[in-house]
Every structure is written in C-alpha cells, then in structure tokens.
C-alpha cells in the first residue's frame, strides 16, 4: 500500500481510468515509462524512482482474468531482472527450440488430472454380511 500523497500524485499522472484499473488489478497505483508491448497486447512499464523490486510491472491486456502465463518468456526475463535491457532495445533472436507460451489451465476443466495405469498389488477385502434371522 502506498501513501496518500503518492497515490494522488499517481492519479494525476495516469488519469482516472488507468487509476481505477490499476487499483482493481494490482491494488496500487503506478506510473512510468512505457517500455514496450508484447504479442498478447500486454504493456510493460518501468519507473526507476520506485522502490527496488517494484520498478518494473506489466498491465495485462486481459482485465477479466489476468494470468502470469500471459507473459511471454522474453519479457519475463526483463521483469525478473535477468536482463537489464528490454526486448525492444536488445537484439533478441528466437531459438528454434523455444515454444510459444501456453495458458495455465490450473483450476479449470482442462487441468491435468493424474491417473494410475498399474494394477493394485493388494486386493481389498470386501466383507459379505449374512442376513439376520
């Protein structure tokens, strides 16, 4: 959570529409330089005046259910500070073994469910009850 002064300053810089969206999705207000966008339409920002660890962030194109899997691997490296230069400023070459990001299906009907293909080693006892007289 931020101070009231910082929140009001950010409200003046980002505008009311972006302010409401940021409060709804990330619970805080931020402003900064637009570094770039990815193929999914996500916008990546940077503000070096922020506290360390909070100076880079993403505004997801999907406001319904933003998911961490919506970030492309190239931009993930920049967000996690594995590389200092954003993808727009570096000479990034996609390797042939790299695949496109896949959605995270956890918690949905398409989620992976484990199953067993081996026979049980022990047969369970099934008691048979005799009729009472």
């Amino acid at each position: 959570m931020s101070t009231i002064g910082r929140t009001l300053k950010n409200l003046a810089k980002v505008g009311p529409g972006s302010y409401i969206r940021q409060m709804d999705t990330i619970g805080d207000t931020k402003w900064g330089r637009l570094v770039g966008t990815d193929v999914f339409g996500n916008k990546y920002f940077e503000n070096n005046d922020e506290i360390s660890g909070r100076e880079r962030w993403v505004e997801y194109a999907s406001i319904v259910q933003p998911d961490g899997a919506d970030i492309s691997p190239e931009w993930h490296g920049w967000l996690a500070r594995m590389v200092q230069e954003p993808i727009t400023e570096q000479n990034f070459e996609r390797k042939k073994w790299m695949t496109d990001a896949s959605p995270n299906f956890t918690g949905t009907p398409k989620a992976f469910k484990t199953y067993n293909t081996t026979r049980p080693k022990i047969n369970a006892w099934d008691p048979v009850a005799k009729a009472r007289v």
Side-chain angles (χ1 to χ4, degrees):
M1 196 67 185
S2 59
T3 62
I4 293 175
R6 180 178 171 274
T7 302
L8 293 175
K9 179 178 77 171
N10 290 343
L11 170 63
K13 291 187 178 188
V14 300
S18 183
Y19 172 82
I20 291 171
R21 181 173 177 178
Q22 286 180 3
M23 289 301 287
D24 185 42
T25 55
I26 62 175
D28 196 7
T29 57
K30 294 180 174 241
W31 69 274
R33 173 179 70 99
L34 176 64
V35 176
T37 58
D38 64 4
V39 295
F40 301 119
N42 300 324
K43 297 178 184 177
Y44 297 89
F45 293 91
E46 181 176 37
N47 182 357
N48 291 325
D49 295 335
E50 285 281 346
I51 300 169
S52 179
R54 294 180 51 171
E55 67 270 7
R56 295 177 180 176
W57 69 95
V58 58
E59 284 187 4
Y60 293 101
S62 169
I63 60 172
V64 177
Q65 261 189 326
D67 187 15
D70 292 341
I71 296 175
S72 61
E74 301 88 19
W75 281 102
H76 176 267
W78 179 76
L79 281 174
R81 303 185 66 83
M82 293 180 214
V83 294
Q84 294 302 315
E85 300 84 22
I87 301 304
T88 55
E89 296 175 9
Q90 60 179 289
N91 196 7
F92 182 78
E93 183 178 310
R94 195 167 174 94
K95 308 286 191 248
K96 66 179 181 178
W97 52 266
M98 293 181 177
T99 60
D100 293 330
S102 60
N104 183 359
F105 292 119
T106 304
T108 67
K110 293 183 178 180
F112 177 76
K113 293 177 183 67
T114 59
Y115 59 92
N116 193 354
T117 59
T118 61
R119 292 184 326 184
K121 294 180 181 177
I122 301 173
N123 294 327
W125 175 59
D126 191 15
V128 179
K130 291 184 178 181
R132 293 188 180 194
V133 183

